[in-house]
Amino acid sequence: FTLGQLGGAVGAALIGRGLAAAPAEFGLAVAVVLLARETLRPEEARHRLAELSLLAGGIHGLGLAALLAGTPIGSDASLSSRILAVLGMDSLHLVGAVAAAALLRILVRRSQGIRRGISYAAGVGAMALATGLAVAGGAGEAGAATGALDAPVESAVSATSGMAGSQRLAPSTPNAPVQSFLAVEPFEIRHEVMLRIAYMQSQLEQPELLQQLADLVLSSTQLEVDGAAPEAVVRRADFMTVDPTGALPRANPVPEEVREAVVGIVVAYPTPGMAERASLTWSRFPGIDGAVAATVIDPETVESQVLTAAQPAVAWENNLLEDPIPAVEEIPVEPARLPVPILSLPLILLAVAFLVAGLRGHKLIGMRPSASVAAARVLLALGLLVGPVVQTAVALPGSAGRTPSERQARRILAGLLPNIYRALEYREEGAIYDRLAVSVTGETLTDVYLEHSRALELEERGGAQARVEAVEVLEAADVESRGDGFAVRSMWTVGGMVTHFGHRHFRQNRYDAVIEIVPVDEVWRIRSIEVLDQERVR
């Protein structure tokens, strides 16, 4: 057993391939039952104990490789550490087996029947436990395919994490005269500036104060993106309420002291995609004999520094680990497929041949009938074990485009719904419509665009558009045929994140809707969405 376990565990760990826990434990349980049966025979009738033990150890070793890969032992390149780990576990097994055997001899010294019953109960219990693990593992895998759309998020915070709706990114500098935030995102770079009026009263005149401040920011800063100066668009200029949860624009004026007043300016610079490098330079510091607190925020990192007249620029380079540009892909209409285990079929056929030969008392390749039956058991166990490892699927003729099951409908939605929100992340209407057309039929394009383009808009944050982090299909039920397609009642959540004046704010909406889906040019597309209920979860 130890030799087999060493060969399986060490070999599989070195080549980086092994077995999942459920198949490995199932295979080991089969070997345990076969070993128990052989050891209960009289000594002269026992055979192939060494081969069965070697097989059992090898199967368990293949599963052990996956366990070692996730531990410090697995990360260590030393072969000796893996060998010592396996030998240590087997030593504990051996001590436990000797102690159990000694206890059984004391308890049932003269009762072979009780020992036989205990052994069979242990074997059957192991089989039942392994089967339960296998079933539970399969259910977990099926439930995991919920259509998550994941993007890199700083730290452990995500749109579905359940944390608070605001996360501070920039250092807290509430009394700084000027705070500068450069948010680098796909399709645009935003320069968000917070100004304290008390430091620049001499330069301001009523009543066009907000416009003067916006012009002041534009004339005091220059942004260069990939070697060019993009067009600047002043998106907002508002008086702000600043608190630990972030900065809120105020649409309506309220009485406040001049020394406490803060104005927020948002300037957007459209880009064709994700910039490779950007540089922001403050050419002048209006009304300030100090510095500008500057923070650069991209989808993965945050960097802060203090700009002065001697060092007036902050630079950014694209070192992102993942491309944040949202990809929109067609969801093909696939026929129903029948899984065919490639490796299991020949093993099962050989097992049948050996079993038939053994039961009829014939010799197959010179093996005795009893040996043929034992070989059939081993081959059948191997066939069941390797079945999920290597298999293919055969398409069933005439099954493409038929009304899917609830599970299949959920998989289709898990591809289509994220496509909608990915398309809406583009800034130009033409680009949005082109990508929506991949997953939505023509007559529904405008409705989907108008209804969902504001789904994650944070009005209380100045109308900033949230970047979608996760789309999760929670339920797909009541699937029914409808014309050339089908309708399904679905519930899903959409989580998004927006960066706004040095904070990241999270929003999550839940939808309940009846969606009609049709095959068009061999791809699935949404023909209509009837929203039954919509609520803001976070």
Side-chain angles (χ1 to χ4, degrees):
F1 181 89
T2 300
L3 289 175
Q5 196 174 46
L6 283 173
V10 177
L14 289 176
I15 65 175
R17 295 182 64 88
L19 280 179
E25 295 300 331
F26 186 90
L28 179 61
V30 172
V32 167
V33 172
L34 296 177
L35 278 168
R37 186 176 186 278
E38 291 300 321
T39 53
L40 289 173
R41 297 176 184 272
E43 288 190 9
E44 62 274 11
R46 297 174 188 168
H47 55 83
R48 303 193 181 278
L49 289 178
E51 292 86 344
L52 285 172
S53 299
L54 186 67
L55 175 64
I59 294 171
H60 194 256
L62 290 174
L64 190 61
L67 176 64
L68 292 179
T71 64
I73 296 174
S75 60
D76 187 358
S78 172
L79 181 63
S80 61
S81 62
R82 295 191 180 98
I83 294 177
L84 290 175
V86 173
L87 290 178
M89 283 183 279
D90 286 350
S91 298
L92 291 176
H93 294 162
L94 181 60
V95 171
V98 170
L103 181 62
L104 284 175
R105 286 193 181 94
I106 295 174
L107 295 177
V108 289
R109 183 173 300 173
R110 296 185 179 181
S111 178
Q112 182 70 18
I114 295 178
R115 263 196 286 182
R116 183 186 299 270
I118 293 175
S119 299
Y120 271 111
V124 172
M127 284 290 293
L129 179 61
T131 304
L133 286 173
V135 173
E141 292 171 3
T146 56
L149 162 66
D150 296 322
V153 183
E154 184 178 7
S155 74
V157 180
S158 71
T160 56
S161 64
M163 293 186 65
S166 177
Q167 176 195 11
R168 179 181 292 279
L169 300 177
S172 179
T173 53
N175 297 319
V178 179
Q179 297 183 63
S180 174
F181 306 96
L182 194 67
V184 184
E185 296 180 352
F187 311 115
E188 80 170 12
I189 296 178
R190 288 192 315 280
H191 186 205
E192 301 169 341
V193 183
M194 293 177 61
L195 304 168
R196 285 197 169 273
I197 296 179
Y199 290 91
M200 50 191 68
Q201 294 181 59
S202 61
Q203 302 189 23
L204 302 177
E205 299 177 2
Q206 295 288 350
E208 299 179 351
L209 183 145
L210 293 178
Q211 184 61 48
Q212 291 179 55
L213 289 176
D215 294 340
L216 187 63
V217 169
L218 286 177
S219 62
S220 301
T221 59
Q222 294 83 40
L223 180 69
E224 183 177 290
V225 180
D226 295 335
E231 179 184 0
V233 179
V234 178
R235 184 167 291 171
R236 297 188 68 92
D238 302 283
F239 282 93
M240 311 290 289
T241 298
V242 182
D243 58 30
T245 65
L248 293 172
R250 293 200 306 263
N252 300 315
V254 298
E256 66 179 332
E257 297 184 12
V258 172
R259 61 186 178 86
E260 299 293 337
V262 177
V263 171
I265 310 294
V266 179
V267 182
Y269 298 86
T271 60
M274 190 68 189
E276 290 301 320
R277 57 186 56 84
S279 175
L280 175 68
T281 303
W282 280 82
S283 58
R284 52 183 262 198
F285 294 77
I288 306 170
D289 294 328
V292 171
T295 301
V296 180
I297 304 169
D298 66 28
E300 296 178 1
T301 61
V302 178
E303 293 185 3
S304 298
Q305 66 183 80
V306 176
L307 303 183
T308 63
Q311 182 61 43
V314 58
W316 173 88
E317 287 192 9
N318 189 345
N319 294 316
L320 301 177
L321 299 177
E322 297 185 26
D323 185 2
I325 299 294
V328 179
E329 299 178 350
E330 293 181 339
I331 308 301
V333 178
E334 296 182 350
R337 295 183 177 274
L338 178 67
V340 178
I342 299 176
L343 292 182
S344 293
L345 286 179
L347 292 173
I348 292 175
L349 291 176
L350 280 176
V352 171
F354 276 104
L355 182 62
V356 171
L359 294 177
R360 292 186 176 182
H362 298 161
K363 287 187 177 182
L364 189 63
I365 62 173
M367 297 179 65
R368 293 176 300 174
S370 59
S372 295
V373 174
R377 296 195 191 103
V378 174
L379 290 171
L380 182 60
L382 283 175
L384 295 175
L385 180 66
V386 303
V389 178
V390 180
Q391 62 180 0
T392 187
V394 178
L396 298 179
S399 60
R402 69 180 184 182
T403 303
S405 64
E406 291 185 356
R407 180 182 177 187
Q408 292 169 332
R410 187 179 182 187
R411 290 180 56 193
I412 295 171
L413 288 171
L416 291 175
L417 291 174
N419 275 351
I420 292 177
Y421 297 100
R422 290 188 184 112
L424 294 174
E425 288 190 44
Y426 288 77
R427 296 298 190 267
E428 297 180 1
E429 282 196 5
I432 293 174
Y433 275 102
D434 289 343
R435 283 156 182 81
L436 279 177
V438 173
S439 303
V440 182
T441 59
E443 60 269 23
T444 315
L445 278 175
T446 302
D447 294 339
V448 170
Y449 173 65
L450 294 176
E451 183 169 349
H452 291 273
S453 61
R454 294 187 297 271
L456 293 175
E457 190 173 286
L458 274 68
E459 293 290 350
E460 74 278 13
R461 303 294 170 183
Q465 180 69 35
R467 182 166 176 260
V468 174
E469 293 291 319
V471 179
E472 183 178 4
V473 180
L474 304 176
E475 183 180 341
D478 301 332
V479 181
E480 61 179 30
S481 177
R482 187 171 295 183
D484 54 347
F486 66 94
V488 56
R489 173 85 176 264
S490 177
M491 183 179 294
W492 72 94
T493 58
V494 183
M497 177 180 68
V498 64
T499 302
H500 187 66
F501 288 103
H503 282 72
R504 275 185 178 154
H505 306 277
F506 303 92
R507 165 170 288 187
Q508 187 179 54
N509 293 341
R510 180 186 294 121
Y511 294 89
D512 184 5
V514 175
I515 303 177
E516 189 174 347
I517 301 174
V518 294
V520 179
D521 298 330
E522 298 185 353
V523 298
W524 291 114
R525 292 185 184 173
I526 295 174
R527 182 156 60 188
S528 67
I529 300 179
E530 180 187 355
V531 178
L532 305 176
D533 187 29
Q534 173 185 349
E535 64 173 326
R536 178 173 175 179
V537 180
R538 184 174 300 114

